Amino acid sequence: MRAGTRPVLGWSSTETSQLLIFIQRVGSNNRELASSGFTAHINTKRSLRQGENTKKREAYRRLMLKTIGVRCPKKRALKACKVVKYLQTALMTPLASDRIGGRVQSVQHGQATLELGATWIHGAHGNPVFHLAEDNGLLEHTTDGERSVGRISLYTKNGVAHYQTNNGKRIPKDLVEEFSDLYNEVYELTQEFFQNGKPVGAESQNSVGIFTRDVVRKKITLDPDDSESTKRLKLSMLQQYLKVESCESSSPSMDEVSLSEFGEWTEIPGAHHVIPGGFVQVVELLAQAVPARVLRLNRPVRRIHWNRSAWQEKISDAGDHNGDRRAAPPGHPVRVELEDRELMAADHVIVTASLGVLKKGHESLFSPGLPEDKVLSIEKLGISTTDKIFLEFAEPFWSPECNSIQFVWEDEAQLEQLAYPEELWYRKICSFDVLYPPERYGHMLSGWICGEEALLMERCDDETVAETCTELLRKFTGNPNIPKPRRILRSSWGSNPYIRGSYSFTRVGSSGGDVERLAMPLPYAKSTKAPLLQVLFAGEATHRKYYSTTHGALLSGQREATRLIDMYQDLYNAETTKPNV
């Protein structure tokens, strides 16, 4: 990880809520609703609203809900206990996927555990994912290198990144460091627009990529000490750095990332960590508190009917399987309709669909449709695909001090936009990291590719991708004898119909306000007298400061649980303080 840049590739996959509800992002993150098939379905019998007498209310004191406390304050825990005694709550979570975890996907590959999705815990101080992992001993075998506060190459802060040109030459280390200092200086400038309220000039088109390219190019061109060949090499490195930045932002190009909003993303202080046994251990830890009957795998959601629309309109259509639909009991404002036509009644549904799924199918996922302002925010915010390509070799062809191989195309120095024809998708592969330590991973490289080119890569078979990557490595290292990898493993987040992308970013034209509008529960409190908090939204894309991270996803789930706790606390207080008549 270059100094001063954002943490690499941390995407959300697990949303959990504290105390009242367990929410699992599974198919967020990545991602996941409806087609993605993830909702937390909460069916609550409320004594206050249903006018139950005292004896019946006492029966409802039976607690049917597992609670999870994630470093929760005692005051909050006591508050929740009072509330759940007041409710009878049944929880059901239909999941489209055949596994839990969503954009957390740890895969056993020989003796190693590889992360196709979330890899790093970004920051420690106040990070709830870190505290879960630390408190449960998941980090106890982490090496010093993996506790690095510097470059996260899975791996290790030690060693040197090898910047190789397409002519098979390695760029001298001092030249790399000189350019890196320049780039990081301009990167810091990109943060000032949001953090210091600096006005954005029209020439940048409010684009991080355009601004960075223009400023860095001017500084390189005006440097009197560099030769023309050195300037061309630095301009080529600029394009490579922007590719890496796109992978980190999960954007097709940094040209699409909003300059005025770029600095709002917030980094949690502290080291970055990996979980040697797999990030999925965090998911499994949280799942231990959830009854098995709650998690219903392979149950995609077809539609969420809210505001009592499910029984006010005809749900069935031509694909109704001859009317074969299992009805839900009346009396609740929400119906969750599964693909197999089962109907689940609920008072509250928490939706953790990825932004990609919402973009693709929000019109069919909600009845009635989402409010116009929420739809507009979904359209304005960005999400793209960042994929990993793991290559395992029998022996290393790289030198012991090499921690990554960075691809610098010298013929791209003057390009304004890095867009490639389909047959040249491989040019978007920006680098291969060396997985460390070899005692755990063997001789393994992890490549990065993003944007439309990542989708093109996903359409290729393993043999084609392995051959293409081998030719790239031979070309850039100048070593024609590099063998083909003996095994390959890669992610495919873009083509996964239940995820449709890796994680979100603030696209040009969007803002943090769009993130907040996406997170607003339905129906809007000021526009209706209908029951509130029928449909709530969680997931990394709904957290204004920590979007794109697992801790952002986790915190968003806790936020929505708190909404429900607070609402029922108010009802509880009103009921218990009511004078006897």
Side-chain angles (χ1 to χ4, degrees):
M1 180 66 190
R2 299 188 303 278
T5 62
R6 299 174 58 195
V8 183
L9 301 166
W11 49 78
S12 82
S13 307
T14 307
E15 280 85 55
T16 58
S17 63
Q18 168 179 335
L19 300 171
L20 184 61
I21 321 164
F22 178 87
I23 306 172
Q24 183 117 42
R25 182 62 167 280
V26 287
S28 342
N29 238 80
N30 54 203
R31 150 129 288 165
E32 316 241 14
L33 155 82
S35 333
S36 53
F38 175 68
T39 62
H41 150 253
I42 306 166
N43 180 348
T44 306
K45 293 181 179 178
R46 297 178 296 268
S47 59
L48 177 65
R49 293 190 177 184
Q50 295 183 0
E52 300 287 355
N53 60 33
T54 302
K55 289 184 179 180
K56 288 186 178 180
R57 281 203 303 271
E58 288 297 319
Y60 291 150
R61 293 180 182 275
R62 184 165 48 92
L63 178 60
M64 298 180 64
L65 179 63
K66 294 284 184 177
T67 62
I68 299 175
V70 183
R71 285 187 170 249
C72 77
K74 288 183 178 179
K75 184 176 180 181
R76 171 66 68 182
L78 290 173
K79 179 178 179 181
C81 287
K82 290 180 180 179
V83 173
V84 294
K85 285 181 179 180
Y86 173 68
L87 305 172
Q88 177 186 14
T89 303
L91 186 67
M92 191 61 65
T93 304
L95 316 170
S97 177
D98 60 358
R99 61 178 179 83
I100 62 173
R103 284 171 280 179
V104 170
Q105 188 175 8
S106 306
V107 176
Q108 202 67 28
H109 193 72
Q111 299 299 313
T113 301
L114 302 180
E115 305 288 7
L116 292 180
T119 302
W120 293 279
I121 298 175
H122 295 303
H125 306 303
N127 186 331
V129 179
F130 167 80
H131 293 307
L132 273 174
E134 181 78 358
D135 292 349
N136 288 276
L138 302 184
L139 301 177
E140 62 185 5
H141 299 299
T142 306
T143 66
D144 290 339
E146 288 161 348
R147 291 180 179 269
S148 160
V149 295
R151 185 181 189 281
I152 336 171
S153 175
L154 229 184
Y155 313 124
T156 176
K157 66 179 179 179
N158 301 315
V160 179
H162 286 204
Y163 284 78
Q164 305 282 155
T165 72
N166 56 303
N167 295 316
K169 304 295 183 182
R170 181 181 171 188
I171 300 175
K173 182 181 176 182
D174 58 345
L175 182 57
V176 172
E177 292 176 347
E178 185 178 315
F179 174 78
S180 183
D181 289 342
L182 170 60
Y183 181 88
N184 290 328
E185 175 188 328
V186 177
Y187 177 89
E188 292 302 321
L189 295 178
T190 66
Q191 305 296 291
E192 294 181 359
F193 293 96
F194 179 84
Q195 295 174 0
N196 300 334
K198 184 177 178 181
V200 175
E203 66 279 2
S204 73
Q205 300 177 47
N206 198 25
S207 161
V208 172
I210 293 174
F211 174 84
T212 302
R213 193 181 299 113
D214 287 350
V215 175
V216 173
R217 279 179 172 173
K218 287 177 183 177
K219 289 179 177 290
I220 291 173
T221 303
L222 296 175
D223 191 333
D225 299 326
D226 282 345
S227 65
E228 289 303 313
S229 60
T230 297
K231 290 179 180 180
R232 283 195 299 272
L233 202 52
K234 287 183 176 180
L235 291 172
S236 300
M237 291 178 65
L238 169 61
Q239 303 287 42
Q240 194 274 343
Y241 269 55
L242 288 173
K243 289 180 189 178
V244 173
E245 203 76 67
S246 295
C247 283
E248 295 180 6
S249 296
S250 193
S251 60
S253 164
M254 291 308 294
D255 290 6
E256 296 193 23
V257 179
S258 173
L259 181 60
S260 61
E261 306 299 316
F262 195 46
E264 185 168 17
W265 189 92
T266 305
E267 183 172 0
I268 290 180
H272 306 286
H273 303 264
V274 299
I275 300 176
F279 212 113
V280 73
Q281 288 183 316
V282 171
V283 178
E284 293 168 346
L285 175 68
L286 295 170
Q288 289 175 6
V290 183
R293 67 181 182 277
V294 168
L295 300 177
R296 304 176 66 181
L297 303 179
N298 296 307
R299 302 297 301 279
V301 173
R302 181 173 184 266
R303 186 170 294 138
I304 295 175
H305 304 266
W306 58 287
N307 256 0
R308 300 187 185 275
S309 65
W311 58 95
Q312 292 173 347
E313 64 181 43
K314 186 177 181 181
I315 294 177
S316 60
D317 53 26
D320 192 11
H321 306 296
N322 297 317
D324 179 16
R325 185 175 71 250
R326 282 156 280 176
H332 302 279
V334 184
R335 293 290 191 275
V336 177
E337 181 184 2
L338 304 184
E339 287 290 355
D340 64 4
R341 311 309 253 190
E342 179 182 357
L343 287 176
M344 300 166 61
D347 292 294
H348 312 286
V349 171
I350 301 179
V351 177
T352 64
S354 73
L355 180 61
V357 167
L358 292 176
K359 282 179 175 289
K360 178 69 175 180
H362 70 84
E363 291 180 346
S364 62
L365 298 185
F366 297 92
S367 177
L370 298 177
E372 290 184 7
D373 61 341
K374 190 181 288 285
V375 170
L376 184 60
S377 292
I378 289 171
E379 293 172 348
K380 288 163 66 176
L381 291 168
I383 186 170
S384 184
T385 299
T386 294
D387 278 326
K388 301 178 185 178
I389 306 171
F390 293 99
L391 304 177
E392 182 185 15
F393 294 87
E395 298 292 336
F397 59 82
W398 51 91
S399 56
E401 86 286 352
C402 176
N403 65 25
S404 67
I405 301 168
Q406 308 286 329
F407 295 157
V408 180
W409 294 87
E410 291 190 72
D411 58 352
E412 293 183 353
Q414 299 299 329
L415 292 182
E416 292 300 323
Q417 292 185 337
L418 297 177
Y420 306 103
E422 289 190 11
E423 65 273 14
L424 297 181
W425 62 264
Y426 55 82
R427 277 190 171 238
K428 198 63 171 291
I429 299 176
C430 59
S431 64
F432 277 91
D433 285 337
V434 178
L435 271 65
Y436 179 90
E439 294 78 17
R440 179 184 305 147
Y441 297 105
H443 307 300
M444 187 88 67
L445 299 179
S446 173
W448 303 95
I449 185 171
C450 64
E452 291 301 314
E453 291 79 9
L455 296 176
L456 293 170
M457 181 276 296
E458 292 180 12
R459 297 174 195 165
C460 298
D461 56 38
D462 283 352
E463 183 68 17
T464 299
V465 175
E467 288 182 357
T468 301
C469 290
T470 303
E471 287 303 317
L472 277 176
L473 291 166
R474 289 170 180 168
K475 183 182 187 69
F476 280 85
T477 62
N479 179 1
N481 299 316
I482 293 176
K484 285 180 60 177
R486 63 183 184 182
R487 283 195 288 186
I488 179 174
L489 181 69
R490 57 204 171 108
S491 60
S492 55
W493 298 112
S495 55
N496 186 323
Y498 302 139
I499 295 177
R500 298 185 183 278
S502 296
Y503 45 84
S504 62
F505 67 96
T506 46
R507 192 163 58 184
V508 173
S510 68
S511 69
D514 291 301
V515 177
E516 292 192 345
R517 275 185 289 277
L518 177 59
M520 286 182 63
L522 298 176
Y524 293 159
K526 295 181 180 180
S527 62
T528 181
K529 295 182 179 180
L532 299 178
L533 303 187
Q534 294 179 35
V535 182
L536 302 93
F537 295 84
E540 56 84 15
T542 71
H543 199 291
R544 185 163 182 163
K545 293 199 306 181
Y546 300 141
Y547 57 87
S548 81
T549 65
T550 50
H551 55 270
L554 177 65
L555 290 168
S556 75
Q558 294 176 356
R559 177 194 68 215
E560 298 312 306
T562 299
R563 287 192 206 270
L564 289 169
I565 291 174
D566 289 345
M567 183 181 77
Y568 283 110
Q569 178 68 40
D570 291 342
L571 292 172
Y572 170 81
N573 289 340
E575 175 77 356
T576 56
T577 59
K578 184 185 300 182
N580 293 324
V581 178

